[in-house]
Amino acid sequence: MKPTLFDALCVVLLLLSAPALAAGGLSGTVVRASDKSPIPEVRVIATSPALTEARSTVTDAQGGFRFPQLAEGVYSLRFEKESFQELSRTDLAVKAGQEARVDVALLAAMRTRPAVLAPAQPDDDRERAPGWTLQHLPVLVPDGARQSVYRASPGKPGSGVETRGFGVNPTIDTEESRVSEFPVAVDTRAYAVARDYLSRDVFPAEGVVRTEAFINSFNSGDEGEPYGPFLLYVEGFPSPGRKGYHVVRITVKAREPVREVGVQVEFNRQAVARYRLLGYEYLSPNPEPRDPGDEVELFPLAAGQAVTVIHEVKLHGPSIAFGMLRVRYEQGDSSNWRRVQMMMPSSTLRSDYARAAASTRLAYVASAFAEKLRASFWTRALDWPRLLALWEGLGEPLRAREDVARLGALIRKAQALDTRKERFERLMPGGSSDFDDVPSLGN
């Protein structure tokens, strides 16, 4: 019996529908944890090894969402919305011909979490903080020049490489200002200029050195936790050059292109007594306190682009978290501001330099190199041989990477060329090693 035209059409339709029959789906509803009311316009992102790229949708007026036509596999869903804590669901099995249901409740975003933090200790060493920690203090050096420990100039570098010195950032008491801000746009040309000086056997002028340019001249890697369109990474360790302080590295890396980005770090006063931002001295003439809701300067980030900053922080007393990292951004055609935030847990503070990630150690070595070149008295206890030893402690294979090997060669060259006199005594009179005090001048 010959097949009819109708039979042939049925076969074609069955073949066309086969992928659909083999696909599954994910759907569900997003509600508020407080009153179970639906939340519209929640961004839901689906990821899986079964997908070539992430898929996203937004919830409707009833809080519903749906991902149809998903290949069979294991999926993860991430739920994001301004004013709510981000939530993830993992290990969601999608089977052919079935639609899995995922209902979630989102918690409102919290500005702070004082209830889970240890109370300040009765002998809070903030009481011993010298009065100059928030004052403009030019320090006289033997040759009659001045080194400011303040953000000495309000200007931002122009289109050319800035050669003016902007001073050295102060140490800020969190009782006066607990919020640190920095832009994601970093001009790394200052590192190239210093490198060129040293390649010609010339010690670079202190005014051309920008610590943030040195840090961001090196790849920050792909470590971090996904928060919205970003990877956020925080890690620290006891400072090799400033006793009683921890070095804290923070990296914000874009996974997707973001039109405008502003970054803010709010330190927990119950955990952090003082902090210092390394670099960015040109930002403002004053470290004036800012409210977390104040506007900040915003810059774009391309996919894969990152900014890394380093702070020195002095802790006092145990705590679950020592601060909060917030990132505000606009993305795509939307003009609505979004925000992601991540608690900075104390568990990210390693016990020593060797236990930190290699990329964190590299960022610190780059920052310390810049601070040494510009004679920052905050690094007066970190001499050239010790800095070179820290570079050697980066280990392989990182130390063999071309740009990292060049950094080691530059440190050696700077050590050989540095004929400057010692400006500050490493210890205070009487043998004190309090790294919050103004150092006395060397002879």
Side-chain angles (χ1 to χ4, degrees):
M1 181 176 178
K2 294 183 179 181
T4 65
L5 179 60
F6 176 77
D7 293 333
L9 288 173
C10 287
V11 172
V12 172
L13 290 173
L14 284 171
L15 291 174
L16 292 175
S17 64
L21 293 174
L26 286 170
S27 63
T29 303
V30 182
V31 299
R32 289 178 174 82
S34 58
D35 58 8
K36 308 305 179 187
S37 60
I39 310 177
E41 298 184 356
V42 176
R43 189 183 184 208
V44 188
I45 303 100
T47 57
S48 170
L51 296 175
T52 56
E53 60 181 13
R55 290 175 56 178
S56 65
T57 186
V58 294
T59 56
D60 57 27
Q62 288 73 45
F65 69 93
R66 184 169 181 263
F67 290 100
Q69 303 297 310
L70 294 178
E72 189 171 285
V74 178
Y75 286 75
S76 295
L77 294 180
R78 190 170 69 254
F79 302 85
E80 304 172 347
K81 185 175 174 62
E82 177 75 12
S83 301
F84 289 88
Q85 295 184 40
E86 184 178 299
L87 181 67
S88 296
R89 288 285 184 265
T90 59
D91 299 327
L92 303 173
V94 171
K95 298 181 178 179
Q98 300 180 17
E99 187 165 281
R101 180 87 183 173
V102 184
D103 296 322
V104 300
L106 297 186
L107 294 168
M110 295 182 292
R111 295 191 176 185
T112 58
R113 294 175 61 183
V116 301
L117 298 170
Q121 302 300 306
D123 56 345
D124 185 352
D125 95 320
R126 182 184 287 114
E127 295 177 0
R128 299 192 300 108
W132 59 266
T133 54
L134 279 170
Q135 297 173 2
H136 177 67
L137 181 71
V139 179
L140 290 174
V141 293
D143 60 4
R146 286 176 178 262
Q147 180 184 42
S148 171
V149 300
Y150 215 58
R151 297 176 183 176
S153 177
K156 177 181 284 191
S159 57
V161 176
E162 180 61 67
T163 59
R164 287 179 298 163
F166 289 90
V168 178
N169 275 342
T171 298
I172 306 297
D173 192 304
T174 54
E175 287 295 335
E176 298 294 335
S177 175
R178 67 181 183 275
V179 176
S180 175
E181 297 172 351
F182 52 88
V184 300
V186 177
D187 186 346
T188 59
R189 288 177 297 174
Y191 178 64
V193 170
R195 193 171 63 226
D196 180 64
Y197 271 108
L198 292 169
S199 69
R200 293 184 284 109
D201 293 335
V202 178
F203 198 86
E206 294 171 8
V208 305
V209 179
R210 300 281 179 268
T211 301
E212 69 276 9
F214 280 52
I215 296 170
N216 286 280
S217 291
F218 299 89
N219 191 322
S220 60
D222 292 318
E223 301 120 331
E225 295 293 327
Y227 281 80
F230 304 101
L231 285 175
L232 304 182
Y233 190 79
V234 176
E235 189 177 36
F237 55 87
S239 172
R242 193 175 182 190
K243 186 177 180 180
Y245 281 74
H246 276 69
V247 172
V248 176
R249 167 242 179 145
I250 298 172
T251 297
V252 176
K253 184 169 187 176
R255 300 189 296 158
E256 309 165 17
V258 188
R259 188 168 67 250
E260 294 185 355
V261 185
V263 184
Q264 184 184 81
V265 178
E266 181 179 356
F267 290 106
N268 168 28
R269 285 173 173 158
Q270 293 179 312
V272 176
R274 290 181 285 282
Y275 67 91
R276 184 172 84 94
L277 173 65
L278 274 64
Y280 299 101
E281 278 79 13
Y282 57 80
L283 286 180
S284 69
N286 297 292
E288 295 178 356
R290 288 178 181 266
D291 185 85
D294 287 352
E295 292 294 322
V296 298
E297 193 164 6
L298 304 161
F299 302 87
L301 276 182
Q305 192 175 6
V307 61
T308 294
V309 299
I310 287 185
H311 289 81
E312 292 174 336
V313 301
K314 186 161 191 176
L315 306 175
H316 64 100
S319 63
I320 291 177
F322 64 92
M324 177 80 76
L325 172 62
R326 296 188 177 92
V327 185
R328 293 181 58 216
Y329 65 99
E330 285 186 356
Q331 189 176 30
D333 297 329
S334 173
S335 59
N336 295 327
W337 287 110
R338 299 178 180 179
R339 185 180 74 178
V340 296
Q341 60 184 25
M342 182 182 78
M343 297 290 288
M344 300 192 297
S346 297
S347 59
T348 61
L349 302 177
R350 313 306 177 202
S351 59
D352 57 48
Y353 173 81
R355 293 181 181 273
S359 56
T360 299
R361 285 177 273 148
L362 174 58
Y364 172 71
V365 170
S367 70
F369 182 36
E371 295 284 290
K372 286 293 294 179
L373 288 175
R374 62 183 187 160
S376 168
F377 66 74
W378 304 109
T379 58
R380 64 192 184 275
L382 186 66
D383 58 17
W384 289 113
R386 175 61 175 152
L387 179 57
L388 187 58
L390 292 172
W391 174 84
E392 292 172 345
L394 296 176
E396 304 293 348
L398 182 61
R399 200 174 59 194
R401 203 174 76 189
E402 182 179 358
D403 58 338
V404 180
R406 185 186 302 119
L407 174 63
L410 293 173
I411 293 173
R412 292 187 183 93
K413 179 64 71 70
Q415 179 181 2
L417 294 174
D418 191 1
T419 58
R420 297 172 298 182
K421 295 180 179 179
E422 181 67 43
R423 297 183 182 179
F424 312 106
E425 293 180 2
R426 293 179 187 171
L427 297 178
M428 297 298 296
S432 169
S433 58
D434 189 341
F435 277 73
D436 291 324
D437 285 338
V438 179
S440 60
L441 298 174
N443 295 322

